[in-house]
Structures are given as structure tokens and as C-alpha cells.
Amino acid sequence: MSQYWINMLFVGASFLLYIGIAVWARAGSTKEFYVAGGGVHPVTNGMATAADWMSAASFISMAGIIASGGYATSVYLMGWTGGYVLLAMLLAPYLRKFGKFTVPDFIGDRFYSRSARLVAVICLILISVTYVIGQMSG
């Protein structure tokens, strides 16, 4: 068997495995999709949030700003960390209270405005694209 067909076999088997996992683990509701049906322990969820904060984009940007500006710019690291924690603490309870899973849904329902929801979606897309560019570069 040639190398080409061996590669095709492994790629095909990988795709079949992923499709099988997707069918087996299919979410039956929005709550199951976004928050795993509430079955994730809070400590594990906190560790996942911390891992998101400690991503390549965060490390590269913070290391770069401290390297270029010196020790005095470490205040940005404190602001970045404090802002992340503050945002999570101030926003998460209201998302849960309103029964929403995304910030645009929460903002749209909270302010009874499709325009506010649209602005939130646009901001979310811009922030996400910027973040993903940093992640992929890292």
C-alpha cells in the first residue's frame, strides 16, 4: 500500500471518529450546548476560564509589552487580570439570572432593543477576530 493511501486511510478514519463523537455527544437543548447541562463542577469550570485567560495571545501580548516598556508596564498585566476577573464577577450572575448564554442575548433582552443586540454582536465579532489572530500567531 502506498503512502498516499495510508494517509487517506488515517484521515478518513479520523473524520469518521469525529463524526461519530459529534453524533454521540449531540446536545439536546441550548443549556446542554452552552453549559454542558450544568454538569461541570464549578472548580473545573473556573480552571477552564483561567486556561482561557492564560492563552498564547495573553502571554505573548503581556510579555511583549513588559519587554518593550520595562517593569513599569507590568501595571497593564494587573489591569488585564483584574479586568477579566471583574468582568466575570459582574456579568456572569446577570447572565444566569436572565437565563441567557451569550452577552448579545443578555444585552438585547435587558435593554429591550434589537439595536443594542446588534451593537453587542458587532463588538463581539471584532474582539473575537482580534483575539483569534493573536492566538493563531502564538
Side-chain angles (χ1 to χ4, degrees):
M1 186 180 285
S2 71
Q3 184 64 46
Y4 174 78
W5 289 109
I6 292 172
N7 291 347
M8 292 302 284
L9 179 69
F10 276 98
V11 169
S14 297
F15 275 116
L16 287 175
L17 178 66
Y18 296 143
I19 290 169
I21 290 171
V23 169
W24 175 72
R26 184 176 49 211
S29 69
T30 306
K31 184 175 182 181
E32 286 179 15
F33 179 76
Y34 281 114
V35 292
V40 178
H41 191 272
V43 172
T44 307
N45 199 12
M47 290 168 50
T49 303
D52 185 42
W53 177 87
M54 295 184 293
S55 63
S58 298
F59 275 133
I60 291 170
S61 63
M62 290 302 139
I65 198 165
I66 291 172
S68 68
Y71 183 72
T73 59
S74 63
V75 70
Y76 291 113
L77 178 61
M78 296 303 129
W80 178 264
T81 305
Y84 197 87
V85 171
L86 190 63
L87 177 66
M89 286 176 35
L90 294 178
L91 189 60
Y94 291 104
L95 286 172
R96 186 175 205 148
K97 178 182 172 184
F98 273 76
K100 300 300 173 190
F101 299 107
T102 65
V103 173
D105 283 342
F106 166 69
I107 289 175
D109 287 357
R110 172 68 176 87
F111 296 107
Y112 309 105
S113 170
R114 292 182 62 86
S115 301
R117 183 186 312 244
L118 181 62
V119 169
V121 166
I122 291 169
C123 290
L124 180 72
I125 289 171
L126 289 173
I127 291 167
S128 296
V129 166
T130 304
Y131 187 77
V132 167
I133 289 170
Q135 280 291 93
M136 293 298 116
S137 297

